[in-house]
Amino acid sequence: MNVSGQAFRTIWPAADGAAVEIIDQTQLPHAFVTARLATLADTAHAIRAMLVRGAPLIGATAAWGLWLALRADASDAGLAHAHATLLATRPTAVNLRWALDRGRSHLAPLAPGARAAAARQLAVEICEEDVALNRALAAAGLPLIRAIAAKKIPGERVNVLTHCNAGWLCAVDVGTATAPIYAAHDAGLPIHVWVDETRPRNQGASLTAWELLNHGVPHTVIVDNAGGHLMQRGQVDLVIVGTDRTTATGDVCNKIGTYLKALAARDNGVPFYAAVPSPSIDWTLRDGLREIPIEERSAREVTHLAGRLADGSVATVGLTPEGSPVANPAFDVTPARLVTGLITERGVCDASEAGLRRLFHKV
Ligand code: MRU
C-alpha cells in the first residue's frame, strides 16, 4: 500500500541485509515510524508489545524471527529455543504456530550451517504467499459487495461494517477483511465503511481509519456500541471481519466485540462474513468456544488511553478509578451458526466443516 506516495509493506528485509524493518503500529495514527528488528528478542518484543499485530503479520514476523535467531545460534537447541520463545508471545492467532511449525519442519532436517539462509528464504516465501492469499481473498469477496450494489439505486452507497483492523496493516500487504472493500472502491463501487473503534487498543479508530483515509475510501468511525443501532436503522448492508483462528467447524475467533456484532447482525438480517486466509484455519479444533485460547492482556490497556493533545504531542491519560478491578480478554468466539459465510482464498463457503472441507479438500 502507498503511504504518502511511497509503497510500503508492513515488514521487509533491511537494505543492509542485517535486520528486518517494520512499521511500528503502536505509533499510528499520530506518527509513521519504522523500527528495526535485529534479534530474536527484538522480534518477540515486537509481537508481544504489538508493534506488529494482526494474525497474518504475526505469523510472517515470526518467520523472520526464526531467521534472526538462527543467525546467532543455528543448533538444534537454538532452533527449539527460537520456536518456543516466539510461540509464547501471543496465544490466540494460529498463524503464529502455523509459521513456526512450518519453519521448524523445514529447517530441522538441514545441517545447522544451512539453516539461517533457508530460514531467510522461507520468510520471504511466507510473505509473498500472504500477499497472494490476500489478493485472492479480495477477488473472492468482491462479488458479495457487487451483489449488494446491484440491488441499490445507482450511486447509492454500500455500507460495510468492520471491526478491529483487518486491513493491510494486519498482514504483509493488502489485508483480509478490508481487501474486498479496497477492491470494491478501486472498481468504482460507491462503498462506505463503518469503522468500529475497537476498544481497548482502538485498532479500528487508529489503524483501519488511517488506512482507509490514506486510500481515499469513504468511512465513518463509530464507537463499538453503535453497530447494533445502525443495523436496526438499515444503515449496514454487510459486516466483514477478520479472524485470528477459525476452527475446522467454522467457529470464528476474532477481536473482542466481534461476537456482539454477529448477534446484532443476525437479529437484523444483516449478512455477517469473516475473511479467513487458510493459515488462520486451525484444522485441529472443532469447538471454538471451549478450545481456542483467549489472550488476556494487561489491565493498563483498559485503564489508560493514549491520544494527541492540542499541541500535537501524544499523552496517556487514566480513565478508571484507581483500584477498580479490570478484565481485558482480547478476543471472542463467534459460533459458526451466526456466520453467513467464510471468505477464503479459494472462494466463499458456508461456515461449517462441510463448507471448509469442500474448498480445501481435507479428508
Ligand atoms: O490484537 P490484534 O490487533 O493482533 O488483533 C487483530 C485482530 O483481531 C484482527 O481482526 C485479526 O487478526 C484478523 S486480521 C487477519
Side-chain angles (χ1 to χ4, degrees):
M1 282 284 176
N2 284 337
V3 179
S4 308
Q6 193 185 337
F8 271 94
R9 287 184 169 185
T10 54
I11 189 164
W12 63 96
D16 63 8
V20 176
E21 291 188 67
I22 57 166
I23 297 170
D24 179 353
Q25 298 189 24
T26 63
Q27 306 293 314
L28 288 171
H30 308 304
F32 184 82
V33 175
T34 61
R36 207 174 146 86
L37 312 179
T39 64
L40 172 62
D42 290 348
T43 313
H45 169 74
I47 298 173
R48 197 179 295 111
M50 294 178 61
L51 280 70
V52 289
R53 31 67 52 202
L57 180 55
I58 291 171
T61 306
W64 282 109
L66 286 181
W67 169 56
L68 296 173
L70 293 176
R71 282 192 323 178
D73 179 359
S75 67
D76 288 355
L79 177 56
H81 174 66
H83 185 284
T85 302
L86 291 164
L87 190 61
T89 51
R90 295 192 70 190
T92 301
V94 74
N95 307 58
L96 179 62
R97 188 187 75 200
W98 170 85
L100 290 170
D101 286 358
R102 181 170 163 182
R104 184 173 57 187
S105 55
H106 179 66
L107 301 167
L110 304 179
R115 284 177 181 163
R120 188 185 189 288
Q121 181 56 32
L122 183 64
V124 170
E125 279 171 27
I126 284 177
C127 288
E128 294 307 322
E129 279 175 28
D130 178 70
V131 176
L133 288 181
N134 297 337
R135 290 202 175 117
L137 276 181
L142 177 58
L144 299 173
I145 298 172
R146 272 197 200 286
I148 293 170
K151 289 186 190 148
K152 294 198 171 243
I153 303 162
E156 192 188 353
R157 70 187 196 177
V158 176
N159 289 298
V160 183
L161 183 145
T162 192
H163 191 68
C164 195
N165 172 263
W168 69 271
L169 289 167
C170 87
V172 176
D173 203 351
V174 181
T176 63
T178 48
I181 294 172
Y182 286 122
H185 174 78
D186 292 348
L189 294 176
I191 196 152
H192 166 264
V193 187
W194 296 112
V195 180
D196 280 354
E197 63 176 348
T198 319
R199 279 283 288 149
R201 289 186 69 102
N202 293 318
Q203 290 94 328
S206 299
L207 304 178
T208 305
W210 179 79
E211 276 191 24
L212 294 171
L213 187 68
N214 199 50
H215 198 77
V217 181
H219 63 282
T220 306
V221 179
I222 52 174
V223 297
D224 291 323
N225 295 325
H229 165 76
L230 294 170
M231 290 183 209
Q232 286 175 322
R233 296 195 157 198
Q235 292 178 292
V236 180
D237 295 302
L238 176 68
V239 179
I240 313 180
V241 299
T243 185
D244 292 83
R245 190 184 299 229
T246 288
T247 63
T249 51
D251 293 338
V252 173
C253 181
N254 191 51
K255 180 54 56 190
I256 192 78
T258 301
Y259 169 55
L260 290 176
K261 296 295 131 65
L263 281 175
R266 174 55 55 95
D267 192 43
N268 290 282
V270 174
F272 179 97
Y273 284 89
V276 185
S278 54
S280 298
I281 303 170
D282 187 340
W283 295 103
T284 70
L285 301 188
R286 305 178 52 77
D287 182 343
L289 278 177
R290 291 187 188 189
E291 295 178 315
I292 297 177
I294 300 294
E295 180 176 15
E296 180 77 31
R297 290 191 61 88
S298 151
R300 196 173 164 84
E301 292 182 349
V302 177
T303 58
H304 288 74
L305 200 61
R308 198 175 42 234
L309 301 180
D311 67 1
S313 63
V314 174
T316 299
V317 295
L319 297 175
T320 54
E322 281 181 34
S324 282
V326 165
N328 187 13
F331 298 93
D332 62 26
V333 176
T334 299
R337 65 185 157 76
L338 295 177
V339 180
T340 309
L342 305 175
I343 306 169
T344 80
E345 71 271 19
R346 295 194 183 181
V348 179
C349 68
D350 288 346
S352 69
E353 186 156 19
L356 281 168
R357 285 188 192 277
R358 181 178 58 76
L359 286 185
F360 290 96
H361 309 296
K362 293 274 176 187
V363 284

